[in-house]
Amino acid sequence: MSQSQPSMALFAPEELQHLHETSLQILEDPGMRIQSRRLRGALGQAGAEVDEPHQVVRFPARLVEDTLAGMRSQVLGGTPQLVLNGVVASRSPRGMGVKFGGACIEVLDWQVQGVRAPTRSDLARLVQLGEALPEVVTVGNPVMYLREDDGCSVDPRLQRVKTAALIAQFTTKAGSTEVWNAAELKYLMELGEIVRGSREAYLANPCFITAKETIAPLILDEAAGDVLLLLAENHLPCTIIPMPITGGSSPLTLASNIALGNAEILGTFCALRAACPSANCVGGIISGVLDMRFGAAVFGAPEAVLQDIGLAQIQETLYGFDFGIGGYTDAKLPGEQIAIEAMGRFLFLAQTGRFNVPVGLLNGGKRFSAEQALVEIEIERWIVESGKGIEVTADTLCLEQIRRVGIGGHSMQEEHTIQNMRKNIWYPQLMDRSLGGEIDRDRASDMLETAARKVREVSSRANLYEADTTQTRAIEQILRAAEQELTAGAE
C-alpha cells in the first residue's frame, strides 16, 4: 500500500443512530436555554416550543431533521464548510499544515524560564515566527494582545481590532481571531480584505473571526448567539464549539458527553438557520473530563480524545459535515507529559484524516510556548512521514542493485542511495540522531534546547515578513477609525 487511508471509527451504525436519537430527545426535553431574543423568536416561528420567561426552547425532532437536511443540501450544492478556529483540527487534504492560534493569556518565556502576560512584542514575534515556519499554514493569535510593551493594558474595546491589525502587518497566513460585536466586525472585515486583496477573496477565505462556544450544559448565551447570527448575516461561516466536561457538566460516561455535546451543536444549528436560512454552520468540540483527584477539567486525557473523535464520527458519517476536534493539552511546561499527550492526540487525529493540528498550547490552552510548538511540529511530521506507507514496485524492490552489491556488501556508495536519500528518508530538525555518548553534549542536543535555538535563530532573521508601505498605511487608517468609533464617549 503506497499510502494509508484514514479509517478510525468508534461506533457501529446502530450506535451512531442511538447517539443521534438521544441528542434529539435531549433537545425535546429539557431543551436548551437560548438567551438571544432574536434566535428565540425565529425558533418559535419555525415550530419550536418557546418558554419565553425562562428563555428555554424545546426542539421538535422534525425541526432538527429539516435543519440537517437543509445543511446537507447546502454542502452538496458546493458551499464549503469552513471550520474557523485556531485550536481545532478539521478534515484536511493528505499532508501537513499546523496552526498557530489559541488566544492564550500567558506566554512562556524560555530565556528566563518564566510565565507572564503577553505584550505587543510577544504577539508580533510569534506571528512572524509562524509566518517563517513552512509547516505553519494559518497564524491567528497564539497569545492575546493584553499589554503594550510599556506595560499598559490594552483597551478591551480595541483589543480584537488591534490584534487583527498586528497579524495583518506581520503575516500572509492570517487565521482566526476573536470577534465580540457588530461594531468591531466591520473593522475586522476591512482588515481581512487588506490581507486577502478584495471583499470577494475575503468572503471565500475569511480570517479574523472564530468559533463561539455554548455554555455546558445546554446554554447558548446572548453574546455568543448574537455574534453567530451577525456572522451569518454577513455571509461568514458560523462555527459552534461546545466544551462539555465528563463528570462535571455531563454525566460520568463518555457516551453521555458525546450525546450532550451533539445536542448543543444541533440546537445552535437550528437557531441560526431559523433566523438566517442561508447560514453556513459547522461544529467542533473541545471536550474534557473531570479529574476527581484535583477537581480539575482536563483535556489531554485519552477519554477526552475518544469523546471528540466519537462526536466527529456522528457529524461526518450521519450528517456528512466537516467537524473540528480540539487540541488542548494539560501539561504546564514543555516536556515528557505534553509529548505523550500530543503524540497520542495527533496519532488519533491522523487516523481521522486531520493533519492541520494546533501547536504550542499548554495548560489547557491558557499558555503558549514557541519552543513547544516546534517540538509538536516535529511530532506531527513524524506521524505524517510514518503514515505514508510503503510503495512496492519493481523499482522500489531494487533487485538488480541487491544482486550487484552481493553477499556481505553495502549500498552506501551506490548512486541510487545518493539520489534517494532525501526522497525516502525523513531527517528531523530537532531530534538527536548523532552518535553522542557524552552527557554534556547530549544535554545540549536536547530537543527543547535545540528548539529554543531555532526560535532565536528564526526570530533574529533580517528578512522577517512585514506588510508593505501601502498595506501598513491602510491598516493604520482602519485602526484610527476603529479607535474613534469604538471608544467614543469614553472619559
Side-chain angles (χ1 to χ4, degrees), residues 213-218 241-251 253-254 256-265 284-290 297-299 303-304 307-308 311:
E213 299 82 27
T214 49
I215 300 174
L218 298 168
I241 298 181
M243 298 182 69
I245 307 299
T246 298
S249 58
S250 76
T253 67
L254 277 59
S256 66
N257 182 292
I258 292 170
L260 185 61
N262 194 48
E264 292 182 13
I265 293 168
I285 189 71
I286 306 173
S287 75
V289 300
L290 193 64
V298 296
F299 302 95
E303 296 85 0
Q307 288 169 172
D308 292 354
L311 182 42

Side-chain angles (χ1 to χ4, degrees), residues 195-224:
V195 171
R196 300 298 190 232
S198 69
R199 171 60 65 95
E200 293 74 19
Y202 171 75
L203 292 176
N205 183 20
C207 56
F208 304 141
I209 61 172
T210 191
K212 305 306 289 186
E213 299 82 27
T214 49
I215 300 174
L218 298 168
I219 299 173
L220 180 64
D221 70 273
E222 183 177 19

Side-chain angles (χ1 to χ4, degrees), residues 52 87 128 221 225 329 356 382 399 482:
E52 190 62 33
V87 298
Q128 287 187 307
D221 70 273
T329 59
N356 55 348
W382 190 99
L399 179 58

Side-chain angles (χ1 to χ4, degrees), residues 104-141:
C104 297
I105 60 174
E106 299 173 340
V107 61
L108 176 65
D109 189 328
W110 186 263
Q111 296 287 87
V112 301
Q113 293 290 295
V115 174
R116 53 181 167 75
T119 65
R120 179 190 185 280
S121 292
D122 290 322
L123 178 56
R125 175 179 61 88
L126 291 171
V127 169
Q128 287 187 307
L129 176 66
E131 171 71 21
L133 296 174
E135 299 89 351
V136 178
V137 295
T138 61
V139 180
N141 52 338

Side-chain angles (χ1 to χ4, degrees), residues 383-406:
I383 291 169
V384 170
E385 294 295 329
S386 66
K388 287 182 175 178
I390 299 174
E391 182 181 10
V392 180
T393 66
D395 287 339
T396 64
L397 287 170
C398 305
L399 179 58
E400 291 305 315
Q401 181 176 324
I402 292 171
R403 287 172 171 164
R404 184 173 63 255
V405 170

